[in-house]
Amino acid sequence: MKHIILLIFILQGYSNFAQNELVKTKSIDGTILVKWFPEELVNADGFDVFRSENGGAYIKLNESPIKIDIEEIANEQDQELKNYKQMAARYVEGAQDEPLLKFYILVKSMVSDDFAKFIGIRYDDHNVIKGKNYRYKIERTANNSQLGISEEESLETDLPVAPPKETRLAFQSGSRNTFTWLPETDRYFAVNAYRRADGETTFTKINNTPIIPGQAPDEFGIIRYPDYFFEDTLVTKASYYYVFKAIDAFGDEGQGSPEIFVKSLDETPPAKVSDITLSNTDTEITIGWDKSRSNDVKGYNVYRSFNGDTTYVQRNDKLLTGTSFVDPIDRPGTYMYHIEALDEAKNSSLSELKYIIVSDLTPPPNPYDLGVNVEPGKVSLTWKGIKTDDFWGYKIMRSDKENPTKDDFQLIIPEPLKEEKYENILAGESELALYYAVAAVDTFNNESEWLISDKVMTPDTVSPQAPVIVNVTSQEESVNLQWIASPDLDVVGYQVFRCEKSDKNWVSINDDLGVDALTFSDKNPVQGEMLCYKVVAKDDAGNISPASNVFTIKSKSKDISGEQRINLSGSKYRKNKKQVELEWEEDKDFQYRGYMVFRSENDGKLSPASALLTTTTYEDKSIQENTNYQYQIKAYTVKGVVLISNIQTITIK
């Protein structure tokens, strides 16, 4: 799988190089070489080359498009080059999707000047003068689209491309040596790898095709460079020197990198130690062993586990060079040991398991002063104890038997507790009679005498079953409910709740209803509204049942139209303003659409004097002297009820 992933990175590297559409130049022997890398790689219509001298205008250099010449394939004498030219012809004729075809064409164009010229991506400019600087621009002939512009170039001698930076051994495993370096795709095209064995003087190139670093999605979909760019798989185990040389866009190698020395990897573990001996006192265990038969052993480590634990812990602080070790212990139990032999190459081997049992038969001190606190759904225990060096914890047991023996108790915690307290949650349980016991245990499972509580009575925390509403009726000034009682025998009463359907704000509407009260009359319902009712039961422990079914009914409305509910509290005659000012107070139990002022003269018939008002004040300016005026307010509610005020008389003189 790793080889497949690395191949994907390499192929993507070639693809990335081409997609950048680079234009590269190089001067050699009085000529400037120009090479370009279009995304399509081979263009049947060809390219045009333009040159700028010392920053001047670009001038076209070629008379006809520089493009692939398929007809010359027949005259090619070099069979290998002919095969590549046929690949390029097949590619330009429509085989762009053929796997690896573009890859082979691109690589060949890098290392072969003849092939690069054949596919139309190379131009040699012989008409250049020393001391002048040139830039080259490449355009596609078919649409004059610009492919790119080169860096400035002159006839000064080009230095060989510098070697890759930060070359190093990535990792070594068995016969595989893998290498990485700093990828600089803008500075060089690819890299060649060279190797010589330790003791030899000549380096040999060991890669078949140029190595191009590229970024691509790895096996997790993350775009990145691979962990290494080159892998050397060796047939024999030996030590080698490696150098790496960068390749420029024209296929020329630069200088080699600093040599990397890779020593042959030793993966053979040393021989296991044997004849392990164990002896003990109350405070330590002495371990001895025969040394490993391997000559390259550097030292030993001692690993220990306790009482069957599968995790082994190293006991020595530094590597042991002798064949014995004294291990301090602080408690009895079963101690298990492995001895690790470690060689110069950090290969290791573990000995067979050896164990010793350090016995302890003394029970820990007894706990004392057991305290019990009972709350609804919870029993809290506290006690005191003496913690010895081999203290492990406290076991908690419980029994629901009357006058229990030890056999009647059950352990209620999985592991011993370190603290002198415990909370036993009894959620959902009815009234219980319980006994609790606490015992200390040490690391060798010795157990103290039990500390047993007196009888513990837990409160009833179980809610009664819900009642069921069977009938609800509405009368003019009340709503009457009837329900079926909760079947629980400890029910002591009921609570009735009401809400308006529009707001769902439940409100208790009764004081105390006894257990025999199976009806209730709501004497103060909101009239003319959709009302919801529910009932809950309450037992003698204060537990509340779930709510009954919800019953919805529309309450009846009392016809109060024409009732005097508006207080015309203020009426004044302002002589200086020649107007009567009225002010009234509304009944807050209603919502109003508006108000109208009615007026009569000299005890005549009341008739409208205003339009519909939204305020509770009015100024009457259409008055005459020597006249008695009677005023009354009519209020119109949003539900169509008309309420009236008292009548007030104003005399105008």
Side-chain angles (χ1 to χ4, degrees), residues 495-621:
Q495 194 79 24
V496 181
F497 293 86
R498 179 190 69 207
C499 77
E500 294 184 36
K501 190 173 183 180
S502 58
D503 63 17
K504 290 294 183 182
N505 183 24
W506 291 98
V507 178
S508 174
I509 58 173
N510 69 292
D511 292 328
D512 291 326
L513 290 176
V515 65
D516 296 325
L518 302 180
T519 61
F520 177 74
S521 181
D522 182 7
K523 300 295 186 182
N524 191 31
V526 181
Q527 296 186 357
E529 292 288 342
M530 294 299 294
L531 302 177
C532 299
Y533 291 89
K534 66 181 180 181
V535 181
V536 298
K538 181 169 65 175
D539 67 16
D540 55 8
N543 300 306
I544 304 298
S545 76
S548 69
N549 54 316
V550 176
F551 209 108
T552 303
I553 190 170
K554 184 173 183 180
S555 61
K556 292 185 178 180
S557 299
K558 181 181 178 182
D559 186 5
I560 59 171
S561 294
E563 287 190 6
Q564 182 176 313
R565 297 292 184 94
I566 306 300
N567 180 21
L568 182 54
S569 57
S571 56
K572 300 177 182 178
Y573 170 54
R574 300 289 187 183
K575 189 172 183 179
N576 59 336
K577 294 184 179 181
K578 295 183 179 181
Q579 65 184 28
V580 173
E581 296 178 356
L582 304 177
E583 185 176 358
W584 58 92
E585 297 175 356
E586 61 186 15
D587 188 333
K588 301 299 184 182
D589 290 337
F590 299 92
Q591 290 182 317
Y592 298 91
R593 182 174 288 109
Y595 313 90
M596 287 186 67
V597 178
F598 284 75
R599 187 187 73 183
S600 69
E601 298 178 9
N602 298 323
D603 297 323
K605 183 178 180 181
L606 289 166
S607 59
S610 73
L612 190 66
L613 307 172
T614 58
T615 62
T616 57
T617 60
Y618 180 70
E619 296 173 352
D620 186 7
K621 297 181 179 181

Side-chain angles (χ1 to χ4, degrees), residues 99-136:
L100 299 181
L101 186 59
K102 188 174 183 180
F103 161 69
Y104 290 128
I105 295 171
L106 177 60
V107 173
K108 189 63 176 179
S109 71
M110 293 292 179
V111 298
S112 170
D113 290 341
D114 289 341
F115 186 71
K117 290 178 181 178
F118 168 74
I119 64 174
I121 63 168
R122 167 76 180 267
Y123 179 81
D124 295 350
D125 187 6
H126 302 288
N127 298 317
V128 289
I129 300 173
K130 189 173 183 179
K132 293 187 177 183
N133 297 319
Y134 300 94
R135 287 184 188 272
Y136 294 85

Side-chain angles (χ1 to χ4, degrees), residues 161-388:
V161 61
K165 298 177 182 178
E166 302 179 18
T167 53
R168 62 180 177 85
L169 179 70
F171 61 86
Q172 184 181 22
S173 175
S175 61
R176 296 171 59 227
N177 296 332
T178 61
F179 299 88
T180 186
W181 51 83
L182 180 67
E184 298 174 276
T185 54
D186 57 338
R187 191 171 67 81
Y188 57 83
F189 156 65
V191 173
N192 281 332
Y194 291 82
R195 181 188 70 202
R196 69 175 175 86
D198 189 16
E200 296 180 352
T201 58
T202 303
F203 280 93
T204 303
K205 187 164 78 74
I206 53 177
N207 56 300
N208 295 323
T209 57
I211 308 162
I212 300 182
Q215 296 189 82
D218 64 9
E219 54 198 302
F220 304 106
I222 301 173
I223 303 297
R224 65 172 184 86
Y225 285 106
D227 295 330
Y228 58 90
F229 298 131
F230 178 71
E231 175 182 322
D232 185 20
T233 302
L234 305 170
V235 177
T236 60
K237 286 189 177 181
S239 299
Y240 292 93
Y241 290 87
Y242 293 84
V243 296
F244 296 88
K245 297 181 180 181
I247 306 171
D248 65 19
F250 296 87
D252 296 327
E253 281 188 340
Q255 298 174 347
S257 67
E259 293 183 3
I260 300 173
F261 178 67
V262 181
K263 188 177 180 180
S264 174
L265 186 63
D266 175 12
E267 293 183 316
T268 303
K272 298 178 181 180
V273 304
S274 59
D275 293 335
I276 300 173
T277 61
L278 301 174
S279 61
N280 74 283
T281 66
D282 291 339
T283 58
E284 62 187 27
I285 296 175
T286 301
I287 309 105
W289 60 90
D290 288 347
K291 68 177 184 179
S292 170
R293 296 189 305 275
S294 299
N295 295 325
D296 60 346
V297 169
K298 187 176 182 181
Y300 305 94
N301 291 313
V302 177
Y303 290 89
R304 187 189 82 185
S305 74
F306 180 70
N307 280 354
D309 190 349
T310 57
T311 300
Y312 283 78
V313 178
Q314 183 175 325
R315 301 298 295 164
N316 52 303
D317 295 330
K318 59 182 180 180
L319 195 65
L320 303 173
T321 56
T323 58
S324 66
F325 179 72
V326 177
D327 186 21
I329 59 174
D330 58 2
R331 53 185 170 173
T334 301
Y335 291 84
M336 295 168 286
Y337 291 91
H338 283 294
I339 310 301
E340 177 189 46
L342 194 69
D343 67 15
E344 296 288 349
K346 298 183 179 181
N347 300 305
S348 65
S349 61
L350 282 179
S351 70
E352 301 299 327
L353 173 68
K354 193 76 172 181
Y355 71 90
I356 187 171
I357 299 175
V358 180
S359 299
D360 174 22
L361 302 176
T362 303
N366 301 327
Y368 60 98
D369 286 352
L370 178 60
V372 180
N373 181 51
V374 181
E375 301 177 51
K378 180 173 69 173
V379 176
S380 300
L381 306 177
T382 59
W383 61 91
K384 295 179 181 178
I386 300 173
K387 295 181 179 178
T388 57

Side-chain angles (χ1 to χ4, degrees), residues 21-135:
E21 300 199 324
L22 304 174
V23 179
K24 294 290 186 178
T25 58
K26 184 176 183 178
S27 66
I28 183 170
D29 297 334
T31 299
I32 294 179
L33 312 180
V34 186
K35 202 171 189 179
W36 54 95
F37 301 90
E39 182 178 358
E40 64 271 27
L41 187 58
V42 183
N43 190 311
D45 296 318
F47 302 90
D48 294 320
V49 181
F50 298 81
R51 185 183 71 191
S52 169
E53 181 179 306
N54 290 335
Y58 282 95
I59 299 174
K60 184 177 178 181
L61 300 181
N62 56 303
E63 295 180 357
S64 59
I66 300 172
K67 62 180 181 178
I68 186 171
D69 185 0
I70 296 177
E71 293 181 357
E72 78 170 54
I73 297 176
N75 300 323
E76 180 59 57
Q77 300 301 310
D78 186 327
Q79 187 58 47
E80 180 185 0
L81 184 57
K82 185 174 184 178
N83 292 339
Y84 276 99
K85 288 182 177 182
Q86 289 172 341
M87 287 185 194
R90 190 166 72 253
Y91 179 84
V92 79
E93 290 171 355
Q96 288 88 350
D97 294 333
E98 189 172 324
L100 299 181
L101 186 59
K102 188 174 183 180
F103 161 69
Y104 290 128
I105 295 171
L106 177 60
V107 173
K108 189 63 176 179
S109 71
M110 293 292 179
V111 298
S112 170
D113 290 341
D114 289 341
F115 186 71
K117 290 178 181 178
F118 168 74
I119 64 174
I121 63 168
R122 167 76 180 267
Y123 179 81
D124 295 350
D125 187 6
H126 302 288
N127 298 317
V128 289
I129 300 173
K130 189 173 183 179
K132 293 187 177 183
N133 297 319
Y134 300 94
R135 287 184 188 272

